[in-house]
Every structure is written in structure tokens, then in C-alpha cells.
């Protein structure tokens, strides 16, 4: 059973577009949800962290969690070429131990 | 901005040799992790460490692997007898166990030949 599913893309959008990235999961015990950005051959960089259901906004980024559907999203407004990277969702049941990562969605924002 | 520092950035080793990957977590963090990412695959959990002991480990983390926090600042991952399939990017992470999430280092690329 795959814990976390994420469309690998690649996703190519023009500069200024709104980007929607999504993950689904199977484990109803997950309560902590994160989005990381990873540039080639670098470590994941934390973008957003949410607990349980709801929305969280930080600048151009909005994270949404729908626990009833086991579905999380990351929206990027006014996308920039510098947003081009692989976006990883990650989730955990208890915030202290094992995180489960999606496979990552590769995003390319064209100037 | 505080960082998690990993050394070396790239290590090449012969199959069967022992390797030690080193990490300096962020100084006020209490939770430490090793993850790995085989090229083109998911980031996979290896082990978590808290209060000087392993709190959880994955099925990947067998007897060939060990972790240590030898001096209160470094956090190391040792692979006793490397196999070809151990070739991967190894990421160290640290966190406070809070809503601030976890910070990853830039990784050590391990190549076993």
C-alpha cells in the first residue's frame, strides 16, 4: 500500500500562472502535513507546515488540507521562474518520528 | 539563518567498506533524522533519534546501519559494509518537534563502486 501519492509531472506553466500541486494519502492517522521544495541535488527546503485540516497562507503560497478526502494541496500564485523546482509533500502521524514523502512534482515556470 | 551541515558532500567508496556520514544539526534542535533518496525515487525515512537513543527506524535501517551523537553537536550515520544498493543521497534533518517543521541538510551523495 502506497502511503502518499503525488503526480510526478513534469508540470510546465507560464510565468504568472497559478499552480496547483496535490497529494493524496491513505493513512487517516496523518495529522502533520508539509510541503518542501527541492532544487536539483540539494536537500528539501521547508515551505509550509500545517496541522490537521484547513488552510494556511504565506505570501504567494497557500496550503490546504482536507482530511475527510485525504487530500492536500499547495497553491502558488503569480508563479516565477525561480519557483521551478521539485515540490515534495510529506506527512506524519505524530510530528516527532517518521515522515512519509510523496515522489515529488517537478515544476517548470517558463519566463 | 541556521543550517544543518553535512559532510562530505560526495563520497565514493568500495563495496564492503565502512563509511561514516557526518551532520551538524541546528544547535537548539532536539530531534534528529536520517533520510535517503535513491536517484529518481522518493525520500525515504531511515531513522529518528531523540534523547540519545533511536526513537524509530525503518526496515531499511538494518544491522549494517548505526547512528551516534558522539559529542553533543555531531550526528553520524555509519554503514558498516556498504553495498551497491546503498548508493543514494543521504539527508540529515533536525527539528524541535513543533509547528516549525524540520530542516534538512544539503545531503551527502554516497556512491558505492
Amino acid at each position: 500500500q502506497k502511503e502518499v501519492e503525488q503526480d510526478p509531472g513534469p508540470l510546465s506553466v507560464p510565468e504568472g500562472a497559478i499552480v496547483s500541486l496535490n497529494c493524496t494519502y491513505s493513512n487517516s492517522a496523518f495529522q502533520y502535513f508539509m510541503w518542501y521544495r527541492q532544487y536539483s541535488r540539494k536537500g528539501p527546503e521547508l515551505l509550509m507546515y500545517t496541522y490537521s485540516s484547513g488552510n494556511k497562507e504565506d505570501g504567494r503560497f497557500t496550503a490546504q488540507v482536507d482530511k475527510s478526502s485525504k487530500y492536500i494541496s499547495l497553491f502558488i500564485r503569480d508563479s516565477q521562474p525561480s519557483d521551478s523546482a521539485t515540490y515534495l509533500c510529506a506527512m506524519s502521524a505524530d510530528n516527532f518520528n517518521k515522515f512519509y514523502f510523496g515522489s515529488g512534482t517537478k515544476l517548470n515556470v517558463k519566463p | 539563518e541556521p543550517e544543518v551541515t553535512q559532510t562530505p558532500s560526495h563520497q565514493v567508496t568500495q563495496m564492503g567498506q565502512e563509511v561514516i556520514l557526518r551532520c551538524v544539526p541546528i544547535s537548539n534542535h532536539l530531534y534528529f533524522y536520517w533520510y535517503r533518496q535513491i536517484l529518481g525515487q522518493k525520500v525515504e525515512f531511515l531513522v529518528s533519534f531523540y534523547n540519545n537513543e533511536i526513537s524509530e527506524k525503518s526496515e531499511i535501517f538494518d544491522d549494517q546501519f548505526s547512528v551516534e551523537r558522539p559529542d553533543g553537536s555531531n550526528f553520524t550515520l555509519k554503514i558498516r559494509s556498504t553495498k551497491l544498493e546503498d548508493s543514494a543521497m543521504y539527508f540529515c534533518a533536525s527539528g524541535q518537534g513543533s509547528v516549525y517543521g524540520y530542516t534538512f541538510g544539503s545531503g551527502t551523495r554516497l556512491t558505492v563502486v
Side-chain angles (χ1 to χ4, degrees):
Chain A
Q1 184 186 24
K2 292 188 178 179
E3 297 278 0
V4 181
E5 298 271 14
Q6 186 176 7
D7 186 336
L11 181 61
S12 188
V13 301
E15 183 175 354
I18 297 174
V19 176
S20 172
L21 304 166
N22 311 293
C23 288
T24 59
Y25 63 95
S26 56
N27 188 345
S28 57
F30 289 151
Q31 298 187 78
Y32 301 89
F33 304 93
M34 289 141 283
W35 285 96
Y36 284 87
R37 177 172 61 197
Q38 187 178 27
Y39 294 110
S40 182
R41 297 182 180 249
K42 296 291 186 185
E45 172 196 4
L46 182 66
L47 285 176
M48 302 284 286
Y49 184 108
T50 51
Y51 170 68
S52 195
S53 284
N55 293 359
K56 186 174 183 178
E57 190 172 317
D58 184 2
R60 295 185 295 112
F61 298 89
T62 300
Q64 285 185 352
V65 175
D66 181 350
K67 289 188 72 181
S68 62
S69 302
K70 298 192 181 69
Y71 188 87
I72 70 170
S73 301
L74 178 71
F75 298 96
I76 308 174
R77 289 184 297 282
D78 187 25
S79 55
Q80 303 294 309
S82 58
D83 295 327
S84 298
T86 296
Y87 289 78
L88 306 166
C89 62
M91 43 199 82
S92 175
D94 61 11
N95 196 36
F96 302 108
N97 288 313
K98 184 176 186 176
F99 291 175
Y100 293 84
F101 279 82
S103 55
T105 299
K106 189 167 185 177
L107 172 66
N108 180 33
V109 181
K110 298 173 292 187
Chain B
E1 176 117 12
E3 289 186 334
V4 174
T5 305
Q6 289 187 245
T7 54
S9 57
H10 189 193
Q11 176 142 9
V12 181
T13 189
Q14 297 250 332
M15 193 168 55
Q17 294 295 304
E18 175 182 287
V19 294
I20 297 176
L21 309 183
R22 302 180 192 280
C23 171
V24 179
I26 293 172
S27 60
N28 62 343
H29 285 183
L30 302 175
Y31 298 85
F32 312 109
Y33 308 85
W34 284 100
Y35 283 78
R36 78 173 186 189
Q37 187 175 31
I38 295 170
L39 190 63
Q41 297 188 24
K42 286 186 180 184
V43 176
E44 299 176 289
F45 171 80
L46 291 177
V47 66
S48 58
F49 191 87
Y50 170 71
N51 200 26
N52 286 319
E53 61 183 24
I54 290 173
S55 43
E56 187 167 353
K57 60 183 180 180
S58 73
E59 55 276 5
I60 302 168
F61 194 89
D62 61 21
D63 292 343
Q64 294 299 313
F65 291 86
S66 62
V67 289
E68 199 177 32
R69 190 153 159 79
D71 56 12
S73 62
N74 291 286
F75 181 51
T76 61
L77 174 69
K78 183 192 290 187
I79 310 175
R80 286 191 185 81
S81 177
T82 49
K83 307 184 193 69
L84 294 176
E85 54 265 35
D86 293 327
S87 295
M89 195 76 158
Y90 287 80
F91 293 108
C92 174
S94 69
Q96 296 169 301
S98 72
V99 297
Y100 300 109
Y102 297 86
T103 303
F104 281 77
S106 292
T108 293
R109 178 165 298 280
L110 177 66
T111 303
V112 182
V113 296

